[in-house]
PDB file of all heavy atoms in Angstrom:
ATOM      1  N   LEU D   1       3.648 -10.646  -6.451  1.00  0.00           N
ATOM      2  CA  LEU D   1       4.319 -11.800  -7.146  1.00  0.00           C
ATOM      3  C   LEU D   1       4.429 -11.444  -8.627  1.00  0.00           C
ATOM      4  O   LEU D   1       3.468 -11.346  -9.280  1.00  0.00           O
ATOM      5  CB  LEU D   1       3.426 -13.010  -6.954  1.00  0.00           C
ATOM      6  CG  LEU D   1       3.733 -13.840  -5.681  1.00  0.00           C
ATOM      7  CD1 LEU D   1       3.371 -13.008  -4.449  1.00  0.00           C
ATOM      8  CD2 LEU D   1       2.953 -15.189  -5.678  1.00  0.00           C
ATOM      9  N   GLU D   2       5.666 -11.219  -9.026  1.00  0.00           N
ATOM     10  CA  GLU D   2       6.003 -10.716 -10.404  1.00  0.00           C
ATOM     11  C   GLU D   2       6.496 -11.994 -11.168  1.00  0.00           C
ATOM     12  O   GLU D   2       7.037 -12.879 -10.626  1.00  0.00           O
ATOM     13  CB  GLU D   2       6.959  -9.617 -10.390  1.00  0.00           C
ATOM     14  CG  GLU D   2       6.509  -8.409  -9.510  1.00  0.00           C
ATOM     15  CD  GLU D   2       5.426  -7.644 -10.161  1.00  0.00           C
ATOM     16  OE1 GLU D   2       5.135  -7.759 -11.389  1.00  0.00           O
ATOM     17  OE2 GLU D   2       4.769  -6.906  -9.404  1.00  0.00           O
ATOM     18  N   PRO D   3       6.605 -11.884 -12.586  1.00  0.00           N
ATOM     19  CA  PRO D   3       7.116 -13.001 -13.340  1.00  0.00           C
ATOM     20  C   PRO D   3       8.543 -13.269 -12.993  1.00  0.00           C
ATOM     21  O   PRO D   3       8.952 -14.456 -13.168  1.00  0.00           O
ATOM     22  CB  PRO D   3       7.069 -12.372 -14.710  1.00  0.00           C
ATOM     23  CG  PRO D   3       5.936 -11.362 -14.687  1.00  0.00           C
ATOM     24  CD  PRO D   3       6.104 -10.796 -13.337  1.00  0.00           C
ATOM     25  N   HIS D   4       9.376 -12.370 -12.502  1.00  0.00           N
ATOM     26  CA  HIS D   4      10.814 -12.588 -12.191  1.00  0.00           C
ATOM     27  C   HIS D   4      11.057 -12.735 -10.681  1.00  0.00           C
ATOM     28  O   HIS D   4      12.294 -12.789 -10.290  1.00  0.00           O
ATOM     29  CB  HIS D   4      11.650 -11.469 -12.886  1.00  0.00           C
ATOM     30  CG  HIS D   4      11.442 -11.384 -14.330  1.00  0.00           C
ATOM     31  ND1 HIS D   4      11.702 -12.377 -15.233  1.00  0.00           N
ATOM     32  CD2 HIS D   4      10.862 -10.362 -15.103  1.00  0.00           C
ATOM     33  CE1 HIS D   4      11.465 -11.932 -16.364  1.00  0.00           C
ATOM     34  NE2 HIS D   4      10.844 -10.735 -16.365  1.00  0.00           N
ATOM     35  N   GLY D   5      10.062 -12.806  -9.842  1.00  0.00           N
ATOM     36  CA  GLY D   5      10.351 -12.934  -8.462  1.00  0.00           C
ATOM     37  C   GLY D   5       9.311 -12.234  -7.523  1.00  0.00           C
ATOM     38  O   GLY D   5       8.468 -11.549  -8.071  1.00  0.00           O
ATOM     39  N   LEU D   6       9.438 -12.463  -6.309  1.00  0.00           N
ATOM     40  CA  LEU D   6       8.672 -11.681  -5.324  1.00  0.00           C
ATOM     41  C   LEU D   6       9.191 -10.368  -5.164  1.00  0.00           C
ATOM     42  O   LEU D   6      10.439 -10.125  -5.080  1.00  0.00           O
ATOM     43  CB  LEU D   6       8.643 -12.523  -3.930  1.00  0.00           C
ATOM     44  CG  LEU D   6       7.695 -13.654  -3.801  1.00  0.00           C
ATOM     45  CD1 LEU D   6       8.241 -14.819  -4.631  1.00  0.00           C
ATOM     46  CD2 LEU D   6       7.543 -13.950  -2.301  1.00  0.00           C
ATOM     47  N   LYS D   7       8.293  -9.379  -5.034  1.00  0.00           N
ATOM     48  CA  LYS D   7       8.767  -8.015  -4.994  1.00  0.00           C
ATOM     49  C   LYS D   7       7.964  -7.319  -3.887  1.00  0.00           C
ATOM     50  O   LYS D   7       6.801  -7.471  -3.684  1.00  0.00           O
ATOM     51  CB  LYS D   7       8.461  -7.267  -6.270  1.00  0.00           C
ATOM     52  CG  LYS D   7       8.844  -5.774  -6.245  1.00  0.00           C
ATOM     53  CD  LYS D   7       8.513  -5.164  -7.612  1.00  0.00           C
ATOM     54  CE  LYS D   7       8.766  -3.691  -7.581  1.00  0.00           C
ATOM     55  NZ  LYS D   7       8.432  -3.065  -8.824  1.00  0.00           N
ATOM     56  N   PHE D   8       8.675  -6.594  -3.039  1.00  0.00           N
ATOM     57  CA  PHE D   8       8.120  -5.709  -2.047  1.00  0.00           C
ATOM     58  C   PHE D   8       8.155  -4.301  -2.624  1.00  0.00           C
ATOM     59  O   PHE D   8       9.272  -3.837  -2.880  1.00  0.00           O
ATOM     60  CB  PHE D   8       8.943  -5.703  -0.756  1.00  0.00           C
ATOM     61  CG  PHE D   8       8.826  -7.036   0.009  1.00  0.00           C
ATOM     62  CD1 PHE D   8       9.698  -8.095  -0.190  1.00  0.00           C
ATOM     63  CD2 PHE D   8       7.777  -7.274   0.845  1.00  0.00           C
ATOM     64  CE1 PHE D   8       9.557  -9.299   0.415  1.00  0.00           C
ATOM     65  CE2 PHE D   8       7.582  -8.517   1.487  1.00  0.00           C
ATOM     66  CZ  PHE D   8       8.506  -9.506   1.360  1.00  0.00           C
ATOM     67  N   ARG D   9       6.962  -3.735  -2.819  1.00  0.00           N
ATOM     68  CA  ARG D   9       6.953  -2.385  -3.553  1.00  0.00           C
ATOM     69  C   ARG D   9       7.543  -1.339  -2.744  1.00  0.00           C
ATOM     70  O   ARG D   9       8.118  -0.350  -3.257  1.00  0.00           O
ATOM     71  CB  ARG D   9       5.408  -2.034  -3.821  1.00  0.00           C
ATOM     72  CG  ARG D   9       4.811  -3.083  -4.739  1.00  0.00           C
ATOM     73  CD  ARG D   9       3.382  -2.669  -5.106  1.00  0.00           C
ATOM     74  NE  ARG D   9       2.915  -3.542  -6.133  1.00  0.00           N
ATOM     75  CZ  ARG D   9       3.002  -3.518  -7.408  1.00  0.00           C
ATOM     76  NH1 ARG D   9       3.783  -2.547  -7.928  1.00  0.00           N
ATOM     77  NH2 ARG D   9       2.575  -4.433  -8.168  1.00  0.00           N
ATOM     78  N   GLN D  10       7.539  -1.563  -1.378  1.00  0.00           N
ATOM     79  CA  GLN D  10       8.248  -0.687  -0.481  1.00  0.00           C
ATOM     80  C   GLN D  10       8.311  -1.438   0.878  1.00  0.00           C
ATOM     81  O   GLN D  10       7.842  -2.488   1.040  1.00  0.00           O
ATOM     82  CB  GLN D  10       7.550   0.695  -0.346  1.00  0.00           C
ATOM     83  CG  GLN D  10       6.071   0.608   0.062  1.00  0.00           C
ATOM     84  CD  GLN D  10       5.380   2.008  -0.099  1.00  0.00           C
ATOM     85  OE1 GLN D  10       6.019   2.998  -0.018  1.00  0.00           O
ATOM     86  NE2 GLN D  10       4.132   1.960  -0.326  1.00  0.00           N
ATOM     87  N   TRP D  11       8.958  -0.853   1.816  1.00  0.00           N
ATOM     88  CA  TRP D  11       9.054  -1.535   3.104  1.00  0.00           C
ATOM     89  C   TRP D  11       7.709  -1.706   3.696  1.00  0.00           C
ATOM     90  O   TRP D  11       6.931  -0.781   3.627  1.00  0.00           O
ATOM     91  CB  TRP D  11       9.921  -0.647   4.107  1.00  0.00           C
ATOM     92  CG  TRP D  11      10.207  -1.504   5.324  1.00  0.00           C
ATOM     93  CD1 TRP D  11       9.577  -1.397   6.501  1.00  0.00           C
ATOM     94  CD2 TRP D  11      11.269  -2.411   5.543  1.00  0.00           C
ATOM     95  NE1 TRP D  11      10.146  -2.316   7.373  1.00  0.00           N
ATOM     96  CE2 TRP D  11      11.124  -2.939   6.851  1.00  0.00           C
ATOM     97  CE3 TRP D  11      12.257  -2.995   4.670  1.00  0.00           C
ATOM     98  CZ2 TRP D  11      11.933  -3.987   7.382  1.00  0.00           C
ATOM     99  CZ3 TRP D  11      13.092  -3.962   5.153  1.00  0.00           C
ATOM    100  CH2 TRP D  11      12.922  -4.462   6.550  1.00  0.00           C
ATOM    101  N   PRO D  12       7.370  -2.991   4.172  1.00  0.00           N
ATOM    102  CA  PRO D  12       6.032  -3.272   4.672  1.00  0.00           C
ATOM    103  C   PRO D  12       5.662  -2.279   5.811  1.00  0.00           C
ATOM    104  O   PRO D  12       6.529  -1.810   6.557  1.00  0.00           O
ATOM    105  CB  PRO D  12       6.215  -4.637   5.254  1.00  0.00           C
ATOM    106  CG  PRO D  12       7.277  -5.344   4.477  1.00  0.00           C
ATOM    107  CD  PRO D  12       8.210  -4.218   4.150  1.00  0.00           C
ATOM    108  N   ARG D  13       4.420  -2.022   5.885  1.00  0.00           N
ATOM    109  CA  ARG D  13       3.866  -1.017   6.834  1.00  0.00           C
ATOM    110  C   ARG D  13       2.695  -1.681   7.626  1.00  0.00           C
ATOM    111  O   ARG D  13       1.701  -2.019   7.158  1.00  0.00           O
ATOM    112  CB  ARG D  13       3.289   0.183   6.017  1.00  0.00           C
ATOM    113  CG  ARG D  13       4.232   0.987   5.344  1.00  0.00           C
ATOM    114  CD  ARG D  13       3.708   1.970   4.373  1.00  0.00           C
ATOM    115  NE  ARG D  13       4.645   3.022   3.992  1.00  0.00           N
ATOM    116  CZ  ARG D  13       4.454   3.854   2.979  1.00  0.00           C
ATOM    117  NH1 ARG D  13       3.293   3.842   2.335  1.00  0.00           N
ATOM    118  NH2 ARG D  13       5.324   4.838   2.686  1.00  0.00           N
ATOM    119  N   LEU D  14       2.972  -1.902   8.959  1.00  0.00           N
ATOM    120  CA  LEU D  14       2.013  -2.441   9.782  1.00  0.00           C
ATOM    121  C   LEU D  14       1.220  -1.464  10.634  1.00  0.00           C
ATOM    122  O   LEU D  14       1.989  -0.374  11.004  1.00  0.00           O
ATOM    123  CB  LEU D  14       2.686  -3.488  10.789  1.00  0.00           C
ATOM    124  CG  LEU D  14       3.339  -4.684  10.149  1.00  0.00           C
ATOM    125  CD1 LEU D  14       3.861  -5.607  11.342  1.00  0.00           C
ATOM    126  CD2 LEU D  14       2.553  -5.372   9.137  1.00  0.00           C
ATOM    127  N   PRO D  15      -0.020  -1.536  10.842  1.00  0.00           N
ATOM    128  CA  PRO D  15      -0.680  -0.734  11.750  1.00  0.00           C
ATOM    129  C   PRO D  15      -0.008  -0.764  13.177  1.00  0.00           C
ATOM    130  O   PRO D  15       0.510  -1.814  13.477  1.00  0.00           O
ATOM    131  CB  PRO D  15      -2.153  -1.183  11.686  1.00  0.00           C
ATOM    132  CG  PRO D  15      -2.217  -2.115  10.522  1.00  0.00           C
ATOM    133  CD  PRO D  15      -0.841  -2.633  10.277  1.00  0.00           C
ATOM    134  N   LYS D  16      -0.245   0.336  13.887  1.00  0.00           N
ATOM    135  CA  LYS D  16       0.409   0.307  15.179  1.00  0.00           C
ATOM    136  C   LYS D  16      -0.191  -0.644  16.088  1.00  0.00           C
ATOM    137  O   LYS D  16       0.409  -1.034  17.084  1.00  0.00           O
ATOM    138  CB  LYS D  16       0.260   1.737  15.803  1.00  0.00           C
ATOM    139  CG  LYS D  16      -1.120   2.202  16.082  1.00  0.00           C
ATOM    140  CD  LYS D  16      -1.152   3.589  16.599  1.00  0.00           C
ATOM    141  CE  LYS D  16      -2.560   4.131  16.940  1.00  0.00           C
ATOM    142  NZ  LYS D  16      -3.430   4.267  15.676  1.00  0.00           N
ATOM    143  N   GLU D  17      -1.380  -1.149  15.824  1.00  0.00           N
ATOM    144  CA  GLU D  17      -2.019  -2.258  16.704  1.00  0.00           C
ATOM    145  C   GLU D  17      -1.403  -3.629  16.416  1.00  0.00           C
ATOM    146  O   GLU D  17      -1.820  -4.560  17.112  1.00  0.00           O
ATOM    147  CB  GLU D  17      -3.574  -2.283  16.313  1.00  0.00           C
ATOM    148  CG  GLU D  17      -4.338  -0.978  16.686  1.00  0.00           C
ATOM    149  CD  GLU D  17      -4.237   0.072  15.669  1.00  0.00           C
ATOM    150  OE1 GLU D  17      -3.599  -0.065  14.598  1.00  0.00           O
ATOM    151  OE2 GLU D  17      -4.939   1.186  15.871  1.00  0.00           O
ATOM    152  N   TRP D  18      -0.591  -3.721  15.293  1.00  0.00           N
ATOM    153  CA  TRP D  18      -0.123  -5.130  14.957  1.00  0.00           C
ATOM    154  C   TRP D  18       1.408  -5.111  15.349  1.00  0.00           C
ATOM    155  O   TRP D  18       2.192  -4.179  15.168  1.00  0.00           O
ATOM    156  CB  TRP D  18      -0.190  -5.363  13.533  1.00  0.00           C
ATOM    157  CG  TRP D  18      -1.594  -5.351  12.980  1.00  0.00           C
ATOM    158  CD1 TRP D  18      -2.786  -5.118  13.632  1.00  0.00           C
ATOM    159  CD2 TRP D  18      -2.038  -5.815  11.657  1.00  0.00           C
ATOM    160  NE1 TRP D  18      -3.882  -5.268  12.841  1.00  0.00           N
ATOM    161  CE2 TRP D  18      -3.465  -5.692  11.549  1.00  0.00           C
ATOM    162  CE3 TRP D  18      -1.329  -6.244  10.526  1.00  0.00           C
ATOM    163  CZ2 TRP D  18      -4.199  -6.028  10.447  1.00  0.00           C
ATOM    164  CZ3 TRP D  18      -2.081  -6.631   9.442  1.00  0.00           C
ATOM    165  CH2 TRP D  18      -3.436  -6.461   9.368  1.00  0.00           C
ATOM    166  N   SER D  19       1.797  -6.175  15.914  1.00  0.00           N
ATOM    167  CA  SER D  19       3.270  -6.503  16.118  1.00  0.00           C
ATOM    168  C   SER D  19       3.837  -7.401  15.119  1.00  0.00           C
ATOM    169  O   SER D  19       5.033  -7.339  14.879  1.00  0.00           O
ATOM    170  CB  SER D  19       3.458  -7.012  17.532  1.00  0.00           C
ATOM    171  OG  SER D  19       2.759  -8.382  17.623  1.00  0.00           O
ATOM    172  N   ARG D  20       3.016  -8.203  14.415  1.00  0.00           N
ATOM    173  CA  ARG D  20       3.484  -9.144  13.476  1.00  0.00           C
ATOM    174  C   ARG D  20       2.439  -9.549  12.456  1.00  0.00           C
ATOM    175  O   ARG D  20       1.196  -9.650  12.822  1.00  0.00           O
ATOM    176  CB  ARG D  20       3.984 -10.400  14.279  1.00  0.00           C
ATOM    177  CG  ARG D  20       4.557 -11.537  13.408  1.00  0.00           C
ATOM    178  CD  ARG D  20       4.811 -12.694  14.227  1.00  0.00           C
ATOM    179  NE  ARG D  20       5.449 -13.768  13.449  1.00  0.00           N
ATOM    180  CZ  ARG D  20       5.294 -15.185  13.673  1.00  0.00           C
ATOM    181  NH1 ARG D  20       4.557 -15.492  14.715  1.00  0.00           N
ATOM    182  NH2 ARG D  20       5.818 -15.993  12.876  1.00  0.00           N
ATOM    183  N   LEU D  21       3.014  -9.807  11.236  1.00  0.00           N
ATOM    184  CA  LEU D  21       2.171 -10.327  10.119  1.00  0.00           C
ATOM    185  C   LEU D  21       2.917 -11.373   9.426  1.00  0.00           C
ATOM    186  O   LEU D  21       4.013 -11.161   8.952  1.00  0.00           O
ATOM    187  CB  LEU D  21       1.761  -9.245   9.146  1.00  0.00           C
ATOM    188  CG  LEU D  21       1.050  -9.646   7.882  1.00  0.00           C
ATOM    189  CD1 LEU D  21      -0.263 -10.326   8.162  1.00  0.00           C
ATOM    190  CD2 LEU D  21       0.898  -8.392   6.840  1.00  0.00           C
ATOM    191  N   ALA D  22       2.413 -12.630   9.496  1.00  0.00           N
ATOM    192  CA  ALA D  22       3.141 -13.685   8.864  1.00  0.00           C
ATOM    193  C   ALA D  22       2.089 -14.491   7.919  1.00  0.00           C
ATOM    194  O   ALA D  22       1.021 -14.688   8.174  1.00  0.00           O
ATOM    195  CB  ALA D  22       3.688 -14.637   9.876  1.00  0.00           C
ATOM    196  N   PHE D  23       2.645 -14.950   6.799  1.00  0.00           N
ATOM    197  CA  PHE D  23       1.771 -15.677   5.828  1.00  0.00           C
ATOM    198  C   PHE D  23       2.706 -16.457   4.840  1.00  0.00           C
ATOM    199  O   PHE D  23       3.954 -16.206   4.789  1.00  0.00           O
ATOM    200  CB  PHE D  23       0.891 -14.719   5.005  1.00  0.00           C
ATOM    201  CG  PHE D  23       1.653 -13.607   4.336  1.00  0.00           C
ATOM    202  CD1 PHE D  23       2.187 -13.761   3.068  1.00  0.00           C
ATOM    203  CD2 PHE D  23       1.897 -12.418   4.974  1.00  0.00           C
ATOM    204  CE1 PHE D  23       2.876 -12.755   2.380  1.00  0.00           C
ATOM    205  CE2 PHE D  23       2.567 -11.426   4.294  1.00  0.00           C
ATOM    206  CZ  PHE D  23       3.034 -11.558   3.045  1.00  0.00           C
ATOM    207  N   ARG D  24       2.070 -17.357   4.115  1.00  0.00           N
ATOM    208  CA  ARG D  24       2.785 -18.284   3.204  1.00  0.00           C
ATOM    209  C   ARG D  24       2.222 -17.966   1.765  1.00  0.00           C
ATOM    210  O   ARG D  24       1.018 -17.782   1.590  1.00  0.00           O
ATOM    211  CB  ARG D  24       2.577 -19.711   3.486  1.00  0.00           C
ATOM    212  CG  ARG D  24       3.159 -20.625   2.543  1.00  0.00           C
ATOM    213  CD  ARG D  24       2.640 -22.051   2.830  1.00  0.00           C
ATOM    214  NE  ARG D  24       3.005 -23.006   1.757  1.00  0.00           N
ATOM    215  CZ  ARG D  24       2.373 -23.173   0.659  1.00  0.00           C
ATOM    216  NH1 ARG D  24       1.361 -22.402   0.224  1.00  0.00           N
ATOM    217  NH2 ARG D  24       2.893 -24.093  -0.292  1.00  0.00           N
ATOM    218  N   VAL D  25       3.113 -17.830   0.846  1.00  0.00           N
ATOM    219  CA  VAL D  25       2.747 -17.757  -0.655  1.00  0.00           C
ATOM    220  C   VAL D  25       3.553 -18.867  -1.365  1.00  0.00           C
ATOM    221  O   VAL D  25       4.519 -19.402  -0.880  1.00  0.00           O
ATOM    222  CB  VAL D  25       2.948 -16.404  -1.162  1.00  0.00           C
ATOM    223  CG1 VAL D  25       2.019 -15.402  -0.482  1.00  0.00           C
ATOM    224  CG2 VAL D  25       4.388 -15.898  -1.034  1.00  0.00           C
ATOM    225  N   GLU D  26       3.127 -18.908  -2.580  1.00  0.00           N
ATOM    226  CA  GLU D  26       3.864 -19.889  -3.503  1.00  0.00           C
ATOM    227  C   GLU D  26       4.152 -19.081  -4.810  1.00  0.00           C
ATOM    228  O   GLU D  26       3.320 -18.488  -5.387  1.00  0.00           O
ATOM    229  CB  GLU D  26       3.076 -21.054  -3.878  1.00  0.00           C
ATOM    230  CG  GLU D  26       3.828 -22.100  -4.753  1.00  0.00           C
ATOM    231  CD  GLU D  26       3.036 -23.478  -4.883  1.00  0.00           C
ATOM    232  OE1 GLU D  26       2.487 -23.919  -3.909  1.00  0.00           O
ATOM    233  OE2 GLU D  26       2.801 -23.849  -6.022  1.00  0.00           O
ATOM    234  N   TRP D  27       5.476 -19.056  -5.161  1.00  0.00           N
ATOM    235  CA  TRP D  27       5.903 -18.454  -6.393  1.00  0.00           C
ATOM    236  C   TRP D  27       6.697 -19.500  -7.335  1.00  0.00           C
ATOM    237  O   TRP D  27       7.568 -20.076  -6.903  1.00  0.00           O
ATOM    238  CB  TRP D  27       6.734 -17.223  -6.141  1.00  0.00           C
ATOM    239  CG  TRP D  27       7.206 -16.539  -7.392  1.00  0.00           C
ATOM    240  CD1 TRP D  27       6.511 -15.562  -7.962  1.00  0.00           C
ATOM    241  CD2 TRP D  27       8.398 -16.801  -8.054  1.00  0.00           C
ATOM    242  NE1 TRP D  27       7.304 -15.132  -9.177  1.00  0.00           N
ATOM    243  CE2 TRP D  27       8.421 -15.792  -9.204  1.00  0.00           C
ATOM    244  CE3 TRP D  27       9.494 -17.620  -7.912  1.00  0.00           C
ATOM    245  CZ2 TRP D  27       9.500 -15.814 -10.121  1.00  0.00           C
ATOM    246  CZ3 TRP D  27      10.548 -17.499  -8.878  1.00  0.00           C
ATOM    247  CH2 TRP D  27      10.553 -16.691  -9.898  1.00  0.00           C
TER     248      TRP D  27
END
């Protein structure tokens, strides 16, 4: 969460054991 917006530093990387990761944030 940066001053000018949400930033993904690179494409998300999930472990092979995970099919999905979902969460809520506030910016």
Side-chain angles (χ1 to χ4, degrees):
L1 275 65
E2 303 288 345
H4 303 295
L6 279 76
K7 176 182 178 181
F8 291 91
R9 296 185 176 275
Q10 53 191 333
W11 189 262
R13 293 167 163 169
L14 298 188
K16 62 180 182 296
E17 293 86 355
W18 297 10
S19 60
R20 181 186 180 207
L21 169 62
F23 55 89
R24 174 194 174 278
V25 293
E26 184 173 311
W27 180 83

